[in-house]
Amino acid sequence: MDAVKKRVRAFVRVRPTDNFAQDMIKFGPDDKSIDISIKKDAKKGVVNNKQTDWSFRLDGVLHHTSQQLAYETVAKELVSQALTGYNGTIMCYGQTGAGKTYTMTGATAEYQHRGIIPRAIQQVFQATACSVDPCVTVRISYLEIYNETLVDLLSTAPRGGSSEGPMAVVDCPQGVYVKGLSIHTVGQEEDALHLFFEAGETNRVIAEHTLNKSSSRSHCIFTIYIESRSRLFSDVKCINSRITLVDLAGSERLSKTASEGHVLKETTYINKSLSFLEQIVIALADPRRDHVPFRQSKLTHVLKDSLGGNCNTVLVANICGEAVHVEETLSSLRFATRMKWITTEPVLNESHTHEGTVKALEKEISLLKQELAVHDSLVNRSLVSYDPLTDSQIAEIKSQVHKYLKGAIDEIDVVNVRQVQEVFQQFRLIVRQQERKVEARLRSKYVLIDKTDFAAVAAVQKAGVVDVDGHLVWEEDGRDLATRAAPYSPRLGGKRKPRKGSEQARKERIGSPSSARAPDGVLPSRSQEIISTKGLDVKEGARDQDAADADAELSTAAPVKASQRPSSPPPKPVAFEQFKEEGGSEISRIFKDNKSILLARKNRSKSVVHRINLIKREMEDVQRALEAQKQERWQQGEYVDEEGHTIIDEKEFLLIMKLKDLKEEYRSGYAELQGLREEIQYCQQLVDQCRNKLISEFEIWYSESFLIPKDVQEALKPRGNIRPGMIPINRVMCLEEDEQERFERMQEMTLPDCPGSVSFYRAKMRSDQKHTYARTMSALRQMRKKPGIITAARKNKPLTFLCVT
Ligand code: ADP
Ligand code: MG
């Protein structure tokens, strides 16, 4: 904030007297000027050049002014400013007995005559009490400078000394301070006043003096330090200010006091320091002076910041109204005028402390925790903790998330927001792991092409490997034998169930074969006039001319030898033909056999359908003829036998018999069709399974033969019957999830090198069996951090199980 330049304000206060020199001292009508007029000294003759009239313009003349008005005029605004962060200094200057102490301290016996210091204390505490922010600290100190000696008037040590050795005025970047001066925190007005009064009674040096029996012979500086912290959200604003209230020793000249002995010495000191003060004031008032000799006396040094600094400064020149003191009065008014020339630049002593912010936030957190505790106890949730989750709690959540994904539990227990966040975190981790795994699996199996990379897609289309949708395609037996080129997709469903075996896994990948549905009833209705032959695809197997005779077992289907490997993999349609000749011959043969059976059933079914349709049409013809016969009978009149039965003719009888036979034939035909359809459905499934098996085995064969590097295949061999591309999902999942097993394996590996750590981890594991996952991972991480262990583990037994994931 830019400082605004201000002039020091100066007031004059006249001590009431019965002998007021009315003819000598005159006040201006606005109470801001004072005129002094001295009659010419007749003794000095007619020629007398000595000035006899002076006029002083000040900020106010306090004449017959109450303590209350004097305070309001001189101090109130300055104290208010101090409460907002501006330092302030009020200084009383004048000859002994002129009323400096009365102005500053007042008559301590009576409340209404109390001076600036008690009133300032009161104003500060009243403001504190009204403040919305209770974080205000008020401290006080009381320094006396007597014969160039610093005395702590609030010291508890004997005779106002300092317990930390001799006191000293010290300059530091933050300003001048008195080393060893005690500063007392006062919680309330009463305490501050009590200290102040006590100091005044007991400590202050007062010398008997011809002018005034109880006038002080020392300079006294009472300081009120205000420190307030206010908070707006997390921003903590600290205000540090002080009010310096100075009661100077009498400024009278030596000659007048007729002092002797040590009083003379006192007077000498006083005069010296005051004349230094005067020099300082003159220097400060002169903008061309760059050096101000503050250090010349203790008084000027202590007042360095208060006078020339960045504070509000007010001077009260106390004068006596008697003619006899006119010289001193003139001197004091001159001093006041000079003070008015000084300009200061009050600055706001405000800081935003990080430490303060942290403290405020800590306070806020503890308050909120208390609130939560109250809330929880009201709703019977007293056991809920809101502290950050521990490792074991995180592990528990992780375990629950895994169980939830497996379907072992239906719900995950959460009682606070931290847990909810951790659950989501765990889901995210799992999803990321799955993404990486799926991508790795796809990459090991497919050459992934970015669908938006049109050049690459076009090149592959040209080679006849993918269709426009990015599907790998080639014609095998008249149907699209399509396998997804599987463009990378981060979307994943829930966790996949571990596969029981490759057979079941393949079933999962098989789409439901299209199958004709059986009609609800056995007898045909109108809607079943023509039984559809849709789905009875007779194309199956029509192009099935290449049934292989090879009897190689599929499980032993050997990949193309490394030495025979081409530098780049052949197109899949070409490789597929090769596969059918070699490793895939058996499955290919079974596939073809199944297809021929299917085809035979379908052909049979088709002929049955055809026959049924013929029967159906014949039945309708007979039905129509029968109807016509009945009509004719009714028109000609019916014959009835003795028992009342209608007698029909032979033609009608034959028609009825024929219809009965046709219905029987229809029923048996339909039953045969039903049986055939079930067979076809079953055969269709077999064929589809065979087809999928053929494709997947081909993919494996193709990967082994042309894509997976030889060394990777070698690395995987020792792990039993795991074959690249054939790793059952449950094996992979097991390896990934069973951290207990992994940990135990790790223990076995590290045991010879670091048994102590293993026992530790084992004990840890046993102690908390719930935390399998996170704890083991943490243990593994710890072990990995130890170079010896990991080297040994890698050297002795490679972590092959990690290679699988
Ligand atoms: P100083 O401190 O300047 O030596 P004091 O404050 O001790 O002078 O005043 C001397 C005497 O004059 C005291 O008894 C004080 O009560 C009295 N006095 C000074 N100023 C006033 C005033 N404005 N009204 C009433 N009494 C005053
Ligand atoms: Mg005094």
Side-chain angles (χ1 to χ4, degrees), residues 760-772:
F760 169 73
Y761 294 129
R762 192 185 285 277
K764 212 175 171 188
M765 284 285 288
R766 228 182 279 149
S767 71
D768 196 344
Q769 290 179 342
K770 287 182 194 169
H771 314 144
T772 49

Side-chain angles (χ1 to χ4, degrees), residues 732-748:
V732 176
M733 298 312 283
C734 168
L735 283 164
E736 188 177 84
E737 287 175 4
D738 195 351
E739 294 302 325
Q740 177 85 27
E741 191 187 308
R742 189 185 289 192
F743 181 77
E744 278 164 9
R745 291 169 57 86
M746 177 60 91
Q747 283 180 331
E748 283 163 24

Side-chain angles (χ1 to χ4, degrees), residues 378-421:
L378 287 174
V379 292
N380 284 332
R381 277 163 46 106
S382 51
L383 291 174
V384 178
S385 154
Y386 297 95
D387 293 329
L389 298 176
T390 61
D391 281 355
S392 61
Q393 285 169 327
I394 292 171
E396 173 62 24
I397 290 171
K398 198 165 192 170
S399 151
Q400 286 206 29
V401 169
H402 276 270
K403 281 181 191 160
Y404 177 79
L405 287 172
K406 275 183 192 162
I409 54 170
D410 292 332
E411 285 175 359
I412 296 171
D413 295 332
V414 282
V415 287
N416 63 32
V417 175
R418 283 188 203 276
Q419 289 179 353
V420 173
Q421 286 173 339

